[in-house]
Amino acid sequence: MLYYLLYPLHTTFSVFNVFRYITFRTIYASLTALLICWLLGPWMIRKLTERQIGQYVRTDGPPAHKSKTGTPTMGGLLILFAVVTATLLWADLANFFVWMVLLVTVGYGAVGFVDDYLMQIKKETRGLPGRIKILIQVGIGLLVAGLLYARADFDTHVSIPFLKQMAPDLGWAYIHFATMVIAGTSNAVNLTDGLDGLAMGPVTVAAATFV
């Protein structure tokens, strides 16, 4: 949004020329998301605490985790809001791929919200059944992969790490490959996040590759 509002002014004020650089917008989008979390985080924690929306600890978990019972949860809502808001403010909204990433982010975020809602609000210990989660995740993956494949200018070649000369063209199989990567990555992070902070390291490294 800001890209379209401020970049056209670069013909009059050269300082606005920085909006053309994706690195500049990436840095400020990150800072915007951080600021949103910093400003709204304490308020959200208070509201979650008031409504007694807290962490449920499984009985078969480590004894040390018992102390976390009642810790405010559903913080993913704040993260999702911050990321989407920052993206809409700083990204080039004419870029098709931006909307594909947002579709996956919001779609998978909605699955997580429903799961937490069922467990924390409705007090259903199982939350959203695993089979339904997988079906929705695969469905979103198929939708995004199909939209990508449908683009006439989309390249279905994939790069293989450490083998620069090899870039096989998957053709229509790219849809299945992309779906597996999207759904698999989401579940990998979910499983890795079983312990406090365990997912943060891999997520930070993975996210840094896009900066």
Side-chain angles (χ1 to χ4, degrees), residues 50-206:
E50 290 173 5
R51 295 177 179 274
Q52 298 182 338
I53 301 176
Q55 179 69 43
Y56 167 76
V57 178
R58 292 169 51 179
T59 56
D60 58 349
H65 283 197
K66 301 296 183 183
S67 61
K68 297 192 300 180
T69 301
T71 301
T73 187
M74 294 184 75
L77 274 176
L78 177 60
I79 296 174
L80 188 63
F81 174 75
V83 169
V84 172
T85 301
T87 301
L88 293 176
L89 282 175
W90 294 97
D92 178 2
L93 299 182
N95 190 318
F96 172 79
F97 300 103
V98 169
W99 291 105
M100 292 299 97
V101 172
L102 281 176
L103 176 58
V104 173
T105 302
V106 174
Y108 277 47
V111 173
F113 170 76
V114 172
D115 188 41
D116 281 348
Y117 178 81
L118 291 175
M119 287 192 294
Q120 304 300 333
I121 307 298
K122 296 297 184 179
K123 304 302 180 183
E124 297 181 13
T125 55
R126 289 185 57 197
L128 193 64
R131 284 179 294 182
I132 295 179
K133 282 185 192 176
I134 293 295
L135 284 174
I136 296 175
Q137 290 170 348
V138 170
I140 294 173
L142 282 171
L143 173 62
V144 171
L147 290 172
L148 290 173
Y149 183 74
R151 285 177 61 93
D153 59 343
F154 188 72
D155 187 2
T156 55
H157 288 83
V158 294
S159 300
I160 300 178
F162 309 111
L163 299 175
K164 296 182 179 180
Q165 304 303 320
M166 293 187 64
D169 185 1
L170 299 184
W172 61 267
Y174 181 89
I175 297 176
H176 303 287
F177 174 76
T179 300
M180 180 182 67
V181 170
I182 294 171
T185 302
S186 171
N187 283 283
V189 173
N190 192 35
L191 292 172
T192 306
D193 199 29
L195 294 174
D196 292 341
L198 188 59
M200 186 51 63
V203 168
T204 301
V205 173

